[in-house]
Amino acid sequence: ALSNPWAAKNPCAAKNPCAAKAAANPCAAKNPCAAKAAANPCAAKNPCAAKNPCAAKNPCAANPCAANPCGAAPAVELTAAQARAAYECLLPEMLAAYAKSGDATAKTYAKWPRFSQRAYQSATHGQRYVQNYADPKNANRYGRFEQAGKFPAGAVLAKDSFLAHPDGGLEVGPLFIMERLANGSSPKTHDWAYRMVNPDGSLVSDAAMQEFCAGCHGLLADSQDSLYFVPADLRRRPR
């Protein structure tokens, strides 16, 4: 297990990872997708690490760099307070990065109802810290969680992300988006379309992305309409 460099330290305090140290600064002009192997989703390590529930049916085995959103990353655990502070610190940088894509959801999702109390680690997204959002029209349904049933065409769900590095640095991660398609239009993905906005603003939505994401989400197609919900102890129902 990695030691936690964040212990008793506010990520937005005097030693803020958004400070002048460029190597750890997610607010710098440099591309947050720089070639730092620990954060590179195309790194040589197994992109579907041991805690990944999709590892047994790894759809990215043939090409670990093909639209792979679950690249291996150090599992640095933040306290609840640290996770909240880190997200607040990085959110402006996230929004600016995702908006470069021109994607409508990337520009508006942060104003949607949020269903996670704070950022939490997602094993299926490379141990990145994520938060869950649902479009306003479908927020009430999403708030039923496992009892939500099937979502209608046009429903959109978003999950932004960041990494906490062992050296105390923070890094913007991808924005993951699911959109419900018309009934019967994409049987292989259970009528969901998947896309990912990278921190440099590039948008990934190709066939490899659909296959990878559907391979994992599809394990819950019958029971939960292909959705992995927020952990029970971290859920919130927005007013």
Side-chain angles (χ1 to χ4, degrees):
L2 294 168
S3 60
N4 183 2
W6 297 89
K9 183 169 71 172
N10 181 341
C12 290
K15 294 186 178 180
N16 183 353
C18 295
K21 190 177 179 182
N25 180 6
C27 300
K30 294 184 179 180
N31 179 359
C33 286
K36 194 170 183 179
N40 181 1
C42 293
K45 296 180 180 180
N46 177 8
C48 293
K51 291 185 179 180
N52 183 349
C54 299
K57 293 186 177 181
N58 177 6
C60 67
N63 180 7
C65 295
N68 173 17
C70 70
V76 178
E77 294 186 8
L78 306 181
T79 66
Q82 290 164 352
R84 289 189 180 94
Y87 186 79
E88 182 178 352
C89 174
L90 280 181
L91 186 57
E93 178 70 9
M94 287 178 172
L95 297 179
Y98 302 149
K100 294 176 185 178
S101 67
D103 184 272
T105 296
K107 294 179 179 179
T108 60
Y109 82 92
K111 297 179 181 178
W112 294 356
R114 194 186 79 228
F115 291 85
S116 42
Q117 296 177 25
R118 60 170 175 81
Y120 64 94
Q121 277 187 300
S122 172
T124 53
H125 295 84
Q127 298 299 336
R128 293 174 176 86
Y129 281 81
V130 302
Q131 296 241 51
N132 297 56
Y133 294 83
D135 75 87
K137 290 184 179 179
N138 293 280
N140 287 338
R141 179 181 291 277
Y142 190 87
R144 301 172 198 159
F145 301 111
E146 286 82 0
Q147 283 71 50
K150 188 172 182 178
F151 281 74
V156 184
L157 308 174
K159 183 179 292 182
D160 55 10
S161 70
F162 71 86
L163 271 173
H165 291 297
D167 64 1
L170 297 175
E171 182 178 348
V172 174
L175 172 66
F176 304 95
I177 302 169
M178 295 176 64
E179 183 168 357
R180 168 68 78 187
L181 304 175
N183 188 39
S185 62
S186 181
K188 289 184 178 180
T189 65
H190 305 280
D191 296 331
W192 285 101
Y194 300 89
R195 60 188 187 273
M196 177 177 69
V197 180
N198 286 312
D200 63 358
S202 59
L203 184 65
V204 181
S205 60
D206 58 12
M209 180 77 180
Q210 307 310 308
E211 182 179 359
F212 179 87
C213 294
C216 185
H217 282 269
L219 298 175
L220 296 177
D222 295 332
S223 60
Q224 294 180 188
D225 197 21
S226 298
L227 300 179
Y228 287 87
F229 294 103
V230 181
D233 61 333
L234 294 175
R235 294 176 181 179
R236 69 188 292 264
R237 289 180 171 83
R239 295 179 180 179

